[in-house]
Amino acid sequence: MEHSAPRIAIVGAGASGTLTAIRLLTEATKPIEVLLIDPAEDVGRGVAYSTGCADHLLNVPAGKLDALDGDPGHFARWAGAATGDYLPRTLFGRYLGEALTTAVRSSRSARLRRVRDRVVGVRVPNGVELTLSSGNVLRADAAVLALGVFPPSCDWAPEGLRSSPRFVRDPWAPGALDRVPGDTDVLLVGTGLTMADMALALDRPDRAITAVSRHGLLPRRHVATPAPAVRLAGLNGRDGLNSLHRTVTGHIRACLRDGRGWRAAVDSLRPHTAATWRNLPRADQERFLSTYLRYWDVRRHRMPPAVADRLRDVRAAGRLRIRRAEVLDAVAEEDGIDVTFTDGRRLRVGAVVNCTGPRTSLRDVRDPLLESLLNSALAVPGPHGFGLGTGEDGRLSNHPLWTLGSLRIGELWETTAIPEIREQAGLLAAEILSFVDMRRRPRPRDRYGLALSTGAEAAEAFNEGLDRVLLGRDGAIERMTAATEADPGFGLAHAAIALLEYESDAGVRLGQRLRFALDAVRGDERERAFVAAVAERIACPSTRGAALLKYIGEFPRDALAISVAVPTIAFGGLTHSEQSWALIERLGRTFGGDWWYRGQLAFVRQEQGRWDEAESLAAAALAEQPASGHAVHARTHVLYENGMHREGLTWLDGWIRDWSGEATGRAHFAWHAALHELMLGDGAAVLSRYARQLAPGRVTGPRALVDSGSLIWRCAITRRWTVGHARRVLDVAPPDWLTRPPTSFAALHAAVALAAAHDVDALRRLRRYAAVHESVTYRRAIAPACAGMVAVLEQRWATAISELESACSALGAVGGSLAQREVVEETLLYALISAERAEEAARLLSARLDRRPSPLDRDRLMELPRCR
């Protein structure tokens, strides 16, 4: 960087930006420069505290609005007020400005520079580059986006209303209410806190004000003397919305019974809200938004007593009416606006004011800075499209960019009030000061910023190995071994090798590697936690990697651990289906638009049947990194499951030719290409591909069962094609997979390969092993699958059909992809056709064709007796 002291840029000088600057200035112990960038003349005001109207009061008592922790009542003393007073908003803006001035004067290590300009673009070539509307470029080591709230959405407004000069789109814009004619009636759309402020500002003795919303609910009133605080423990959201609703309802009833009142109960939820929101399943979050949100808002965000009293008086005088309706249509004329509501009523007013509150979705915000962030994948939308996705510390993606306040609403839900923003500013300041200090004293780090307790040479080799894992390429263990050779005491690398060898069934020196890792005395807390989690994974396989999953929760930037935890071409995974989906989706706030993460998320989306999203994510990942095996895998499934067999084959063959030379899953990609050929009915092509890319010798180990063995069986039962010798596949497969398979996924493919080899005795032994296994998936899916395949080989069709139907109903828990598990359905179809149960076979084929068309299934349907 060109500047000497670390430079931290804060974009936005409203309340959140000012509070962040105060914390940085007061907590810095080494020289730093803080840039506070905003075109506004004053700091600390933003949208919320710029109003000059004396009727606009703070919605929180003065005692809860201190700029700094550790000095209770500071704001109230500054204002000469009691801690329970509700003061004018403009006063709080002045207070923040003076608090910043005091912090500047008191700081011995930091200095502040104000930049009166607007940031319109961001780049992260080395640190952060901020492009200003003036054309200047500022460079910083880190940046904070403190953008505050955005104007309300106008999506609800009919086109004729949006273009009218009598429509106030943003009531908080400077001079916005000046456009309301003084002698006309007014319609306020929205009945929340903004409506209360606007109603009081626009109230006239001869004016009728109407406020409408879908629910017609008003914010509740604060009480002048709040009840003593009440504590609530054990609230986390993990048990779902129904359980949460019962807990909260019971808590409120208890507070009502003991005289504390419902307000104390609701306020006691505040410390738990962010964690509870994050822990709620996504479907429950959506149900909360559609069902409970309006009731939460009116009780959580209440009116000051004076505002509530005045609003009550205005309503009693007949000057304010609340209506439960939506705007259906509006015709704007020169002298007024005719509005039609969904309840059929009509109203003529002189102006319509948009009081729907700040928008939460950024999709339609026309802000060049946000567009720059989203278009360059430096940021991604937050959950439900609200705000931006962030890590636990408010960081965007993998770059030195952080945010706080309203932009974290999707992640935290309650994040716009001063107490929450003050806490976030403190945590964020500590994180950034640590970050810039480390940046100025470089320490080797991995690709996602995690510190490495080793030298530069070993760190470079470790990162090369990590890159190969992320790409899905061979050679990761070799490069990490080079890291341990450069630094024999690099315990993290020893543990990583042990983990990779264990997960790939290649652990010839597992014990020695693990001892090296455990004996290493170097390493920070994160590295020691990784070593301990790997040791538990290897020494206690029955825990199914619980310690490693816990580790990921604490250190979500460890892409190596995540790669092992999620089923991919290279790894069986520690999670499956919804577990894997939840893990990957939760990491969006950490990795954002990173190419590796996009490939992982693309695979999740295709498993969920969200094909367009999966294709878009895979395309973006491949545009940045064409060698990304995970993105290729996701796109391969999208093409297969959508019946695009010719297109899929052409594209996949091209990628295999150009990029698969070192791909860990090159045999699996060959298997996918062979499936396309099978679906196209091209037996010669399947036979040729098997000989070139899938025959034993070219493929060994687990892949021989998963890819080669399953292809032999599928060809045999679909077209009676012989493409290989299954007994040779068994000879190169891991022996324990055939007798005591480590996972249900391994057991399924062992059963398929044994069926292809016509080894009835081994299938029966595997069935007995699965039938008494501690895992319900073995008992419900693998045992009947083995029994069904034995019956197929012995041509006992009724038994085969019964057992295979039972297995199909439980296959989802086995893991792997739909294309892999489909081999059991193929076997069932073969049994139905062989048993001459044509109608049932036709139903199964028709369902398949509806889901995924193919020439093979179409021909087989036509070949059935009833279809001739």
Side-chain angles (χ1 to χ4, degrees):
M1 308 298 289
E2 297 174 1
H3 40 279
S4 55
R7 176 182 288 173
I8 302 166
I10 301 174
V11 182
S16 58
T18 301
L19 286 169
T20 303
I22 290 171
R23 295 303 292 263
L24 287 168
L25 292 167
T26 56
E27 295 182 14
T29 58
K30 298 179 181 179
I32 63 166
E33 180 183 20
V34 178
L35 305 182
L36 191 56
I37 310 168
D38 195 304
E41 181 178 354
D42 297 318
V43 301
R45 296 186 177 276
V47 172
Y49 309 114
S50 295
T51 175
C53 179
D55 292 324
H56 294 163
L57 303 182
L58 294 162
N59 297 315
V60 178
K64 297 183 178 181
L65 293 174
D66 303 316
L68 291 174
D69 293 325
D71 190 4
H74 182 263
F75 172 49
R77 294 195 304 275
W78 176 91
T83 57
D85 288 348
Y86 293 83
L87 303 175
R89 290 190 192 179
T90 186
L91 199 62
F92 187 68
R94 282 170 43 201
Y95 163 72
L96 287 179
E98 291 192 19
L100 179 61
T101 300
T102 300
V104 170
R105 291 172 179 167
S106 303
S107 179
R108 297 181 178 180
S109 301
R111 68 186 183 94
L112 177 77
R113 178 156 69 96
R114 277 283 278 123
V115 179
R116 295 277 305 282
D117 208 333
R118 186 180 302 279
V119 177
V120 296
V122 179
R123 294 181 64 246
V124 286
N126 180 26
V128 182
E129 286 186 359
L130 302 173
T131 301
L132 308 181
S133 59
S134 62
N136 293 331
V137 175
L138 295 175
R139 293 174 175 83
D141 295 273
V144 179
L145 306 179
L147 305 185
V149 297
F150 292 91
S153 172
C154 297
D155 290 348
W156 58 268
E159 183 59 38
L161 180 59
R162 292 186 214 177
S163 58
S164 171
R166 293 176 175 269
F167 177 47
V168 180
R169 304 172 69 93
D170 178 10
W172 297 110
L177 298 187
D178 296 343
R179 297 166 57 188
V180 179
D183 58 348
T184 62
D185 296 340
V186 177
L187 171 66
L188 308 180
V189 179
T191 58
L193 292 171
T194 299
M195 180 281 297
D197 288 334
M198 294 304 117
L200 297 185
L202 293 170
D203 181 42
R204 306 284 188 276
D206 56 349
R207 168 176 286 162
I209 301 175
T210 302
V212 300
S213 69
R214 288 193 302 273
H215 48 75
L217 298 174
L218 293 179
R220 299 301 193 260
R221 182 185 189 277
H222 276 294
V223 292
T225 306
V230 59
R231 291 183 178 275
L232 174 64
L235 197 71
N236 58 44
R238 292 191 183 93
D239 294 329
L241 187 60
N242 292 338
S243 175
L244 179 64
H245 182 258
R246 288 193 297 271
T247 300
V248 171
T249 301
H251 178 57
I252 292 173
R253 288 172 178 163
C255 288
L256 289 170
R257 284 194 301 269
D258 66 18
R260 295 176 185 264
W262 64 264
R263 291 172 179 83
V266 170
D267 291 344
S268 71
L269 304 178
R270 191 170 193 161
H272 310 282
T273 303
T276 300
W277 175 256
R278 284 197 300 264
N279 289 333
L280 273 179
R282 185 180 180 90
D284 280 353
Q285 289 180 348
E286 292 174 350
R287 190 154 60 92
F288 171 84
L289 295 173
S290 63
T291 305
Y292 295 106
L293 173 60
R294 65 196 67 174
Y295 305 105
W296 167 260
D297 277 347
V298 299
R299 290 166 176 80
R300 169 67 180 84
H301 305 287
R302 304 190 288 272
M303 290 185 285
V307 172
D309 292 344
R310 284 198 55 197
L311 206 66
R312 179 199 60 206
D313 294 342
V314 174
R315 293 185 71 186
R319 298 195 302 275
L320 172 64
R321 293 174 297 171
I322 307 298
R323 177 177 292 177
R324 181 177 179 179
E326 296 180 71
V327 174
L328 181 63
D329 193 17
V331 178
E333 298 177 348
E334 189 174 340
D335 59 345
I337 302 174
D338 287 320
V339 182
T340 304
F341 300 102
T342 50
D343 61 6
R345 298 183 184 182
R346 302 182 66 178
L347 182 70
R348 184 171 180 81
V349 294
V352 176
V353 182
N354 186 6
C355 299
T356 56
R359 76 178 80 199
T360 53
S361 172
L362 305 182
R363 291 189 181 95
D364 57 347
V365 174
R366 295 294 177 260
D367 181 272
L369 173 55
L370 284 175
E371 291 177 353
S372 169
L373 289 164
L374 295 171
N375 291 340
S376 60
L378 293 178
V380 295
H384 314 287
F386 294 169
L388 296 176
T390 71
E392 299 291 333
D393 58 355
R395 190 171 182 177
L396 303 174
S397 189
N398 304 302
H399 306 290
L401 293 169
W402 283 261
T403 190
L404 76 166
S406 64
L407 286 180
R408 299 192 67 190
I409 187 170
E411 302 285 1
L412 304 178
W413 187 243
E414 289 289 339
T415 181
T416 57
I418 290 299
E420 281 81 15
I421 294 174
R422 182 179 61 226
E423 180 182 3
Q424 291 176 35
L427 295 172
L428 187 150
E431 176 74 17
I432 294 177
L433 288 172
S434 174
F435 172 83
V436 296
D437 184 48
M438 290 299 299
R439 183 177 176 85
R440 291 308 173 108
R441 295 186 296 105
R443 177 183 173 190
R445 292 178 178 271
D446 75 5
R447 297 305 185 203
Y448 294 105
L450 295 176
L452 301 174
S453 296
T454 189
E457 182 183 354
E460 182 179 4
F462 178 88
N463 276 322
E464 289 172 355
L466 175 59
D467 285 347
R468 289 180 174 271
V469 172
L470 302 184
L471 286 166
R473 301 182 83 74
D474 291 335
I477 292 175
E478 289 77 4
R479 294 312 302 147
M480 290 188 177
T481 300
T484 62
E485 291 169 350
D487 179 3
F490 187 13
L492 181 79
H494 285 295
I497 295 168
L499 181 63
L500 293 175
E501 288 182 338
Y502 178 79
E503 298 298 337
S504 62
D505 248 5
V508 292
R509 300 176 61 196
L510 258 182
Q512 184 180 12
R513 284 292 179 192
L514 203 51
R515 284 196 300 276
F516 286 156
L518 291 169
D519 291 344
V521 294
R522 293 201 316 263
D524 58 16
E525 178 187 359
R526 195 274 303 184
E527 291 173 297
R528 291 195 298 272
F530 178 80
V531 172
V534 171
E536 184 261 12
R537 170 63 177 153
I538 294 172
C540 307
S542 62
T543 65
R544 297 180 175 85
L548 198 62
L549 292 174
K550 180 182 178 185
Y551 165 83
I552 292 169
E554 295 172 354
F555 302 99
R557 302 182 75 78
D558 192 328
L560 174 61
I562 296 162
S563 296
V564 170
V566 179
T568 62
I569 294 175
F571 303 106
L574 309 176
T575 58
H576 295 289
S577 302
E578 287 83 357
Q579 284 180 295
S580 301
W581 304 349
L583 172 60
I584 292 298
E585 288 174 336
R586 187 169 66 246
L587 294 171
R589 63 174 75 107
T590 299
F591 290 99
D594 175 76
W595 63 265
W596 166 77
Y597 176 73
R598 279 178 162 171
Q600 297 282 12
L601 184 59
F603 199 80
V604 167
R605 292 291 179 253
Q606 69 80 24
E607 285 191 320
Q608 295 169 335
R610 296 159 67 172
W611 311 118
D612 291 343
E613 292 179 58
E615 169 58 22
S616 177
L617 287 162
L622 290 168
E624 184 175 349
Q625 178 48 269
S628 172
H630 301 307
V632 172
H633 195 203
R635 172 176 278 177
T636 297
H637 277 275
V638 170
L639 293 169
Y640 179 76
E641 297 298 343
N642 282 278
M644 302 172 68
H645 299 298
R646 295 191 187 281
E647 299 93 326
L649 181 59
T650 299
W651 174 78
L652 189 53
D653 264 340
W655 191 87
I656 291 172
R657 181 188 64 245
D658 296 337
W659 294 100
S660 75
E662 297 182 354
T664 304
R666 55 185 174 273
H668 190 60
F669 291 129
W671 175 82
H672 270 289
L675 278 195
H676 281 304
E677 291 164 340
L678 179 60
M679 293 298 109
L680 292 168
D682 191 343
V686 177
L687 179 60
S688 173
R689 186 175 302 276
Y690 183 89
R692 289 181 289 111
Q693 299 173 344
L694 288 164
R698 300 184 181 278
V699 182
T700 59
R703 292 251 73 97
L705 293 183
V706 174
D707 297 321
S708 308
S710 67
L711 182 64
I712 291 172
W713 179 245
R714 288 181 74 144
C715 287
I717 61 176
T718 52
R719 280 305 195 204
R720 293 182 171 82
W721 294 336
T722 300
V723 296
H725 300 286
R727 179 55 61 183
R728 294 177 185 172
V729 169
L730 300 183
D731 291 340
V732 298
D736 60 324
W737 275 46
L738 300 174
T739 57
R740 302 179 65 84
T743 65
S744 56
F745 176 80
L748 174 64
H749 285 86
V752 170
L754 290 170
H758 290 247
D759 194 334
V760 172
D761 290 340
L763 266 174
R764 286 198 168 109
R765 287 193 295 271
L766 183 57
R767 189 204 67 79
R768 288 194 294 271
Y769 173 75
V772 296
H773 199 280
E774 63 178 8
S775 168
V776 68
T777 304
Y778 277 76
R779 299 195 302 272
R780 293 183 179 176
I782 304 306
C786 291
M789 290 178 188
V790 167
V792 165
L793 294 175
E794 294 178 344
Q795 298 186 17
R796 293 182 287 110
W797 304 120
T799 300
I801 292 166
S802 175
E803 295 284 4
L804 292 169
E805 285 179 337
S806 177
C808 283
S809 67
L811 276 181
V814 167
S817 67
L818 179 61
Q820 289 172 317
R821 297 192 301 268
E822 194 178 61
V823 67
V824 180
E825 185 183 88
E826 287 281 5
T827 309
L828 172 61
L829 182 60
Y830 173 69
L832 289 170
I833 294 172
S834 300
E836 298 182 352
R837 290 163 63 165
E839 290 189 9
E840 294 169 74
R843 283 197 296 270
L844 185 54
L845 281 168
S846 296
R848 285 261 293 269
L849 285 166
D850 288 341
R851 185 184 80 231
R852 188 200 63 234
S854 73
L856 172 70
D857 286 344
R858 189 168 55 247
D859 290 347
R860 286 198 289 180
L861 179 62
M862 295 305 297
E863 291 167 1
L864 291 175
R866 70 179 186 85
C867 297
R868 290 175 182 166

